[in-house]
Amino acid sequence: MRFKPLFVGLLIGVASVAQAREPSRLPVLEPTAPQAEAALLSAQFLERYAYRPVPLDDALSIKIMNKYIKSLDPDRMLFTQADIESFAKQSKKLDDAIVDKNLKIPFSMFDIYNQRVTERMTYARSLLKDGFDFTVQEDYPLSREDAPWAKTEEQANELWRKRVKSDWLRLKLADQDDAKIRDTLDKRYKNILDRVDTYKGDDVFQSFMAAFTTAVDPHTDYFSAKASAEFDISMKLSLVGIGAVLQERDGYTTIRELVAGGPAQLSGKLAVGDRIIGVGQGEEGSIKEVVGTRLDEVVQMIRGEVGSVVRLDILPADAGNASGHRVISLVRDKVSLEKQAAKKSVVPVKLGDRTLKIGVIALPTFYEDFDARRNGDKDYRSASRDVEKLLGELKQEQVDGIVVDLRDNGGGSLTEAIDLTGLFTGKGPVVQQRNAAGKVEVESDNIAAPVWDGPLGVLINRGSASASEIFAAAIQDYGRGVIVGDPSFGKGTVQTVVDLDKVAGKQEPELGQLKLTIAQFFRIDGGTTQLRGVTPDIATPGVLDPKTLGESSYDNALPWTTIKPAKYSKLGDMAGLVPQLESRHEARVKDDKDYQRFVADVVELKAEREKKTISLNEAERRKEMAAAAAKLKARQDEGGDVLPKDDGLQANERSLSANLALENARKNAKDVLQTEAAAIVADVADLAPGKQRAAR
C-alpha cells in the first residue's frame, strides 16, 4: 500500500534542546563499500529485469534527488531555499555516483539535514519559555508539501513559531495547564533532537535507497541487510502485539498496515495512516509520549505478553497535526489463522411482504496455511476452502443470495483468489499475467461446477487491493455478480524479492534485498486492474481518501492499459440489471436514516480534508469543539448511532468536526454498507429469479 515499510530517518515533528550543539559535534556518517555495491547491483537489476525498465540516467537522477529531499523534509519545514538550490546543482550526479560507487552526495545531504534539525529544534524549544497569545487571529497550514522553503532565518523561525503554537494549543484544548504543556513539548522536542545522535549509516543508506527505488516504481523497495533481518521481528507486531505493521512518517509512528485477524484490525478502532503519539501499559498506566521516538523503541513498548493491555494515544489519519486525538485500549494477542478466517452471517431483507435471507461472508485476507500444505496435510486451511464450507452451511440455511465482503482486504495468495473465483464461476480463466518480456499467461480455475450459482454481490472499498481486485474483476467480467462499494486500490502489478547477497555470491549478509516489479495483472476482458482498480456497479460513499490511498495517489504508477481478452463466456447479464438495481438502491437509501447519517459524515469528512489551514485562535477552536459536541448530542437525542461512551475518546478534544465525522463514518460503514449490499443482492434475486437461483 501507500507507505514504505522500512523508511527510518524522517522527522518533521517539533523538537529542540536548551542549548544548540556545535555543528562540528554532530555525528558524521560515511557510506560503506557494501552499500555502494548494493546500490550499483540494484541499479543493474532495475535496468535489466524490471517490468518497466528505467535507465539510470540524468532524468532518473533528478527524480531520485526530489524524492530524497521530500523524504527528509516532506512539509518543507527544515531545509532552506539555499539548501535546495545547492542540492539541485548535484541532482544530475546521483546516477554517476551510483555507477562510480561513491555515495557521498546523499550522505552529505543527510549531514545538512541533521544540522537543520538541530537548528530548528533548538529554536522550537526556546519558544516554550514565554508561551503564546491565543487571542490573535492566526492560521497554521495543515500541509506544506507544496509550499516554498524558507529563504531567510526569519521565515524559518516564523514557520516554527506557528508549529509550536499549534502543538501548545492542542494540549491546551485538552485542558493541560501551562506547566504540563511546557514539560510535554520540551520532552517531545528533546526526543527528536536526541535522535540526531542515534542515526547510523545504515539509516541514511536505507532512506536514500527508498528514494531511489520508489523513483523507479511505487512498489519497488530496497531492504538493507539489517532491515531485512529485523523486519518480521521488529516492525510486524503480529506475534505478540497489536497486529499492525508500523513505519515512521514525519516524526510519527504510523500505521502502515493492519494484520488481518489482529487485535488492531478486529477492534475497528485503528486505520491505516493513524499516528501513535503515546503508549501506556495496562488499564491505568500513564501514557508516555512517543512523538520523535525511534520506531524500534516504540515497537518494544507496544509488544508484550499475551492477554496484557496496551493503551495507545492516537491521532487519526484524516486529522491534522493539531486536531483531536483519542486513547484506545487493545489486548495483546497472537494473530492466528483462525482469527484471519472467513466468517459468515445472515442479513434479513424485507421486500414487500416477503423477507429474504442474504448470507454475508467477510474475508479479511486471501490466506493459506502454506506449512500445512507443504507438509501434506489434506485438511490444510485456506480462504477458498473455508469459504466453500461456509457456502455449504449457508445453502443449508436456504439463503437467497450471497455477499462476499472484501473491504480492506489487501490481498494475499493469488492461488486462493483464483480458487475462490471458481466457487462462483466454475471452470474458466480468472486473470491474465504479462511479464517484462511481454509473454502473457492465463491463470484459470479447474473446478467442474460452481458451488454457488445463485444471486451474488461483492462489497469492496479503497482498501481492497491485489487479489481482492482479481476476484472482483473476474466476477464483474463474467457478469456473475454485482459489485458494490467505492473504487478499489488499483494495484495490478507483481513483485518478487531478490537476495543481492546470493546474486553476488556473498557468504554473509551485506547487500540486502531488492523487491522489484516483474509483471502486471490483466482482467480476462483485457483491461488491467492497475491504476483504475475495479469500478463498482453500484457506488456507495467511501471513508478512505483516494488522494492519499490508492495507486492513483502515486506520481509514477504504471499506466492503465489493455491486452487481448482471454477466451471466456459470460455467465450472466448483470450489466443489464444495474439500472434497475441502482434505481431501487437510490429509492431505498433516500429514506434510510442510518445510511443518510453515514453519507453526511462522509460528506463532512471530505469537506474537512479540503481545508488548508487550522485556526490558532483559542476562542474559534473552542467554538468548533462546542459545535461538535452539539452535533454529538443531537445524534444521541434522535437515537442515531454514536460512539460508545467508553471508547477512549476525549470529549474536550473534539476540536474539529472532522474527527467526529471520521469516527462515526468508520463505525457505521461496516453495518450500513453491508446491510445495503445485502439489500442490493436481494433485489438481484427478486429481479432475476429464474436466471440466478441457488441449487439446493
Side-chain angles (χ1 to χ4, degrees), residues 242-489:
I242 63 173
V245 180
L246 306 178
Q247 80 143 22
E248 183 182 349
R249 188 176 177 84
D250 306 350
Y252 292 97
T253 297
T254 305
I255 306 294
R256 176 181 175 267
E257 175 187 338
L258 295 178
V259 180
Q265 187 263 336
L266 293 175
S267 74
K269 297 177 180 178
L270 284 172
V272 171
D274 283 354
R275 293 158 289 176
I276 300 172
I277 62 176
V279 180
Q281 306 301 329
E283 296 285 1
E284 303 296 334
S286 61
I287 292 179
K288 179 180 179 181
E289 180 157 322
V290 296
V291 177
T293 303
R294 283 185 66 100
L295 181 61
D296 52 359
E297 295 177 18
V298 179
V299 167
Q300 291 303 318
M301 294 171 65
I302 295 176
R303 295 175 72 185
E305 295 188 7
V306 172
S308 61
V309 173
V310 61
R311 288 159 56 237
L312 305 177
D313 196 351
I314 300 295
L315 269 180
D318 288 275
N321 292 330
S323 73
H325 62 93
R326 67 190 190 280
V327 177
I328 67 171
S329 295
L330 296 173
V331 178
R332 297 180 177 101
D333 200 0
K334 292 183 178 180
V335 178
S336 64
L337 190 61
E338 184 62 38
K339 291 173 183 174
Q340 293 180 322
K343 292 179 174 58
K344 71 176 175 69
S345 60
V346 176
V347 176
V349 178
K350 192 169 182 59
L351 281 181
D353 57 355
R354 296 184 299 152
T355 298
L356 277 63
K357 296 193 299 184
I358 304 300
V360 177
I361 296 177
L363 186 65
T365 184
F366 285 84
Y367 55 89
E368 182 178 9
D369 191 340
F370 293 103
D371 291 336
R373 181 179 182 180
R374 191 163 41 241
N375 293 332
D377 184 351
K378 295 182 179 180
D379 297 320
Y380 71 89
R381 297 287 299 277
S382 76
S384 61
R385 286 182 165 209
D386 287 349
V387 170
E388 183 174 7
K389 180 181 177 182
L390 295 178
L391 287 174
E393 295 173 1
L394 290 170
K395 287 168 71 173
Q396 289 294 320
E397 296 178 51
Q398 297 197 352
V399 297
D400 298 282
I402 297 289
V403 172
V404 179
D405 189 344
L406 297 180
R407 286 175 298 170
D408 299 319
N409 182 324
S413 167
L414 172 62
T415 300
E416 287 304 305
I418 294 170
D419 290 347
L420 187 73
T421 304
L423 298 179
F424 301 97
T425 63
K427 186 176 182 179
V430 174
V431 65
Q432 304 185 85
Q433 191 173 156
R434 182 172 69 181
N435 64 20
K439 181 180 179 181
V440 176
E441 292 186 1
V442 179
E443 304 280 355
S444 302
D445 186 81
N446 295 315
I447 187 172
V451 173
W452 176 264
D453 61 3
L456 175 66
V458 182
L459 185 56
I460 61 173
N461 68 357
R462 194 66 170 178
S464 305
S466 196
S468 291
E469 296 176 289
I470 289 171
F471 172 80
I475 295 299
Q476 191 174 53
D477 289 344
Y478 274 112
R480 177 62 189 86
V482 58
I483 312 300
V484 180
D486 53 307
S488 61
F489 189 91

Side-chain angles (χ1 to χ4, degrees), residues 52 92 95 101 149 196 212 246 296 468 508 532 543-544 567 603 620:
R52 182 178 64 177
K92 294 183 179 180
D95 54 330
K101 295 186 178 182
W149 277 272
V196 169
F212 174 19
L246 306 178
D296 52 359
S468 291
E508 299 294 330
R532 297 183 184 178
V543 177
L544 302 174
K567 293 182 179 179
V603 169
E620 287 189 7

Side-chain angles (χ1 to χ4, degrees), residues 674-693:
Q674 196 175 88
T675 298
E676 179 55 25
I680 292 170
V681 172
D683 287 336
V684 173
D686 184 52
L687 292 169
K691 296 181 179 179
Q692 299 199 35
R693 299 297 290 178

